[in-house]
Amino acid sequence: MKTNAELWVIKIGSNSLLKEDKRLNIQALEDLCQQIKCLRDQNIQVILVSSGAVTAGKGLKSEITSSQGEVAAEQVRAALGQPYLMETYRKILADLGIAMGQVLITKNDFDENDTTTNIHNCIQCLLENNILPIVNENDVTSVRELMFTDNDELASLLALQFSADKFVLLTEVKGLYDKNPHDPTAQLIPEVKNLEDAKQYITDEKSHFGRGGMLPKIRSCNKAAHMGCACLITSLATQDVLIQIVNGEKCGTWFPPREDISLNNFKKRLLHQFSRAKGKIIIDATATKLFKDHSRARSLLPVGILDVQGDFNKDDLVEVLGADETHIGLGIAEYDAQTAQEYAGLQNKPFLIHYDRFFVYQ
Ligand code: GLU
């Protein structure tokens, strides 16, 4: 593989790969693989993040009896569906002369530097050997709070870790619309410059089979765009969508790289490690407004804190959210969760996050 190759992280959701009867849509998989081959032929390396295991498992066996409860039944569906999904990819790709390797990841794997490095090294080595990495969350072992919110989050983490040139989310809708996409008057938003622009268009419609919805996709693109990656939400239903992207066609909703922002290395590292956040700090509307004014750096004071969630210690990474769940940023806590809880809403208390150790989304 040539060294000057571009790298794309492509994530495909369950809805794009499965039919109503929860059987794999072989034609969709063939189409995707064929387009990936075209990208590789043009010296574009691809990391594919594919959902679909759990739903495919449901398609294989609709009734699972479980003395261990519904969570175990869901693990069983993943255990059934993942090899079926991979076998289908393997066969299709083999016919195209492409070798693939399965990489199953849990959120915990990104908690430690060693395992993060192991994942990185493995995927890097697959790419060097011209083997297509196909990544999914390991839904057999990661359940409930151990899980990623969805594969959008996992895929954006990989886009950040590998400094991908492009991050493409293939979903059932063709991008972000100004209203519910099922409304015939809905218009596609071609470009989103920041999270605030996008939020006004989001309906809380959830996807049919997968765990995500539009909001996590937008958040994932926003993170990657902050690191200089060009992101796109689009659909496999658009003919030759990946080829169209290579040819510079406008298809879907773009999140251009935020070249206007320069992050120092420490703040870049915070963003890279977003999945390691140990707690959530919910701030009030006044504080939210202050942090949305990016003209100067600000520390987070307890007076603006509404709620403290999770159990963190001094020097742990925490996520800061507005009361409406807007992602404000990520920072290093100066004291633990219990102290933060005691100080929440009070004046004249020491800052929880110093601006030097606070990355704020723009
Ligand atoms: N990892 C899940 C699966 O393969 C999907 C998660 C998601 O919907 O993002 O079934």
Side-chain angles (χ1 to χ4, degrees):
M1 172 113 352
K2 290 173 213 147
T3 48
N4 61 347
E6 259 196 39
L7 173 69
W8 292 20
V9 171
I10 300 173
K11 184 256 167 178
I12 186 147
S14 308
N15 294 292
S16 305
L17 293 177
L18 288 130
K19 297 186 285 192
E20 278 302 313
D21 64 2
K22 302 189 181 74
R23 291 278 161 172
L24 285 175
N25 182 342
I26 303 296
Q27 218 179 337
L29 270 104
E30 283 174 352
D31 180 24
L32 173 67
C33 293
Q34 182 63 53
Q35 291 187 55
I36 289 176
K37 178 177 162 36
C38 293
L39 298 186
R40 287 163 52 103
D41 289 348
Q42 299 193 45
N43 203 23
I44 296 169
Q45 294 185 321
V46 174
I47 298 172
L48 177 65
V49 177
S50 179
S51 300
V54 173
T55 314
K58 273 184 204 153
L60 290 177
K61 189 164 166 57
S62 54
E63 295 298 323
I64 305 282
T65 49
S66 170
S67 59
Q68 311 298 314
E70 180 45 32
V71 173
E74 200 73 351
Q75 290 170 271
V76 168
R77 289 182 195 109
L80 275 169
Q82 181 65 21
Y84 168 42
L85 182 64
M86 287 303 111
E87 182 56 6
T88 311
Y89 272 120
R90 197 197 60 74
K91 279 191 188 139
I92 296 170
L93 288 163
D95 285 347
L96 296 169
I98 299 174
M100 57 138 291
Q102 170 189 258
V103 181
L104 292 177
I105 296 181
T106 64
K107 195 169 180 173
N108 279 349
D109 293 334
F110 285 102
D111 274 357
E112 305 293 335
N113 288 335
D114 284 355
T115 41
T116 307
T117 307
N118 292 345
I119 294 167
H120 190 278
N121 291 349
C122 174
I123 294 179
Q124 189 60 44
C125 199
L126 286 165
L127 293 172
E128 280 165 14
N129 286 279
N130 223 355
I131 301 167
L132 174 72
I134 306 190
V135 184
N136 194 2
E137 182 166 12
N138 187 345
D139 297 305
V140 173
T141 58
S142 68
V143 295
R144 296 200 188 99
E145 65 277 5
L146 298 178
M147 282 175 143
F148 285 103
T149 314
D150 47 49
N151 270 348
D152 305 324
E153 190 185 347
L154 165 57
S156 68
L157 198 49
L158 293 174
L160 290 172
Q161 302 278 337
F162 284 87
S163 306
D165 299 284
K166 284 200 176 57
F167 175 41
V168 181
L169 287 171
L170 295 173
T171 172
E172 62 192 318
V173 282
K174 291 187 178 175
L176 177 67
Y177 284 82
D178 62 349
K179 45 178 95 101
N180 187 323
H182 300 299
D183 182 330
T185 65
Q187 299 278 326
L188 184 75
I189 309 292
E191 189 174 291
V192 168
K193 293 223 169 62
N194 60 47
L195 196 55
E196 274 317 290
D197 279 1
K199 273 205 80 179
Q200 57 183 310
Y201 304 122
I202 298 164
T203 56
D204 45 16
E205 190 145 313
K206 280 262 174 174
S207 86
H208 196 107
F209 292 143
R211 293 209 295 271
M214 198 41 93
L215 186 56
K217 287 180 180 46
I218 288 166
R219 283 180 177 156
S220 298
C221 288
N222 189 45
K223 285 192 184 94
H226 270 79
M227 289 292 282
C229 176
C231 310
L232 177 68
I233 301 178
T234 186
S235 171
L236 192 64
T238 301
Q239 205 185 348
D240 291 334
V241 66
L242 299 176
I243 316 301
Q244 287 202 44
I245 302 170
V246 179
N247 294 337
E249 309 279 342
K250 299 224 171 303
C251 40
T253 302
W254 280 98
F255 295 70
R258 297 294 305 266
E259 274 145 6
D260 51 321
I261 300 171
S262 86
L263 297 175
N264 64 30
N265 283 341
F266 184 78
K267 292 192 180 182
K268 276 186 187 159
R269 214 162 46 240
L270 291 186
L271 188 54
H272 266 131
Q273 297 181 345
F274 74 83
S275 68
R276 292 187 190 180
K278 294 277 178 282
K280 285 185 179 164
I281 312 297
I282 317 297
I283 61 172
D284 65 17
T286 314
T288 301
K289 206 162 152 225
L290 284 176
F291 285 112
K292 280 185 186 161
D293 164 14
H294 302 288
S295 58
R296 77 179 182 88
R298 288 182 169 82
S299 299
L300 177 64
L301 289 163
V303 66
I305 298 177
L306 287 177
D307 193 17
V308 175
Q309 298 170 4
D311 186 17
F312 54 88
N313 293 314
K314 176 174 163 36
D315 292 330
D316 276 345
L317 181 67
V318 292
E319 197 174 9
V320 180
L321 300 139
D324 60 353
E325 293 203 358
T326 317
H327 279 203
I328 305 290
L330 294 156
I332 302 293
E334 296 293 326
Y335 38 84
D336 62 21
Q338 203 187 335
T339 315
Q341 191 70 264
E342 280 164 25
Y343 291 171
L346 302 180
Q347 293 198 334
N348 303 322
K349 295 291 176 198
F351 50 76
L352 175 60
I353 304 173
H354 185 265
Y355 63 76
D356 272 348
R357 306 213 291 170
F358 195 7
F359 158 77
V360 179
Y361 292 108
Q362 296 199 15

